[in-house]
Amino acid sequence: MSKPIELSAHDLNGNGGVFCPSPKADMKLWNSHPRVFLDIAKTGKGKCPYCGTVYQLKEGEVVGHGH
């Protein structure tokens, strides 16, 4: 099993998540699986159902809410 991809709060998009495949995971978009949204803000981590890559917030990171 590979190491989780650690994210800062600034790495998350406006909806509190990331898309996989991701350059953060050193993946090339053109040779991977379909694009999947992972809601990281809700639980602090997410796992891609296609490739199994785990994305998680770095320890101590806080996701701000509100618009």
Side-chain angles (χ1 to χ4, degrees):
M1 178 183 253
S2 57
K3 232 174 130 178
I5 306 302
E6 292 195 326
L7 305 169
S8 70
H10 296 291
D11 292 327
L12 305 182
N13 66 21
N15 293 318
V18 295
F19 288 97
C20 188
S22 169
K24 290 276 181 195
D26 199 27
M27 294 178 186
K28 303 223 182 306
L29 297 178
W30 53 267
N31 70 349
S32 297
H33 54 71
R35 190 174 187 213
V36 178
F37 177 77
L38 302 170
D39 187 353
I40 306 300
K42 188 179 280 186
T43 63
K45 67 180 177 179
K47 182 177 180 179
C48 177
Y50 286 100
C51 66
T53 300
V54 175
Y55 298 85
Q56 69 182 30
L57 285 176
K58 292 178 185 173
E59 190 172 330
E61 284 291 313
V62 177
V63 179
H65 295 286
H67 295 104

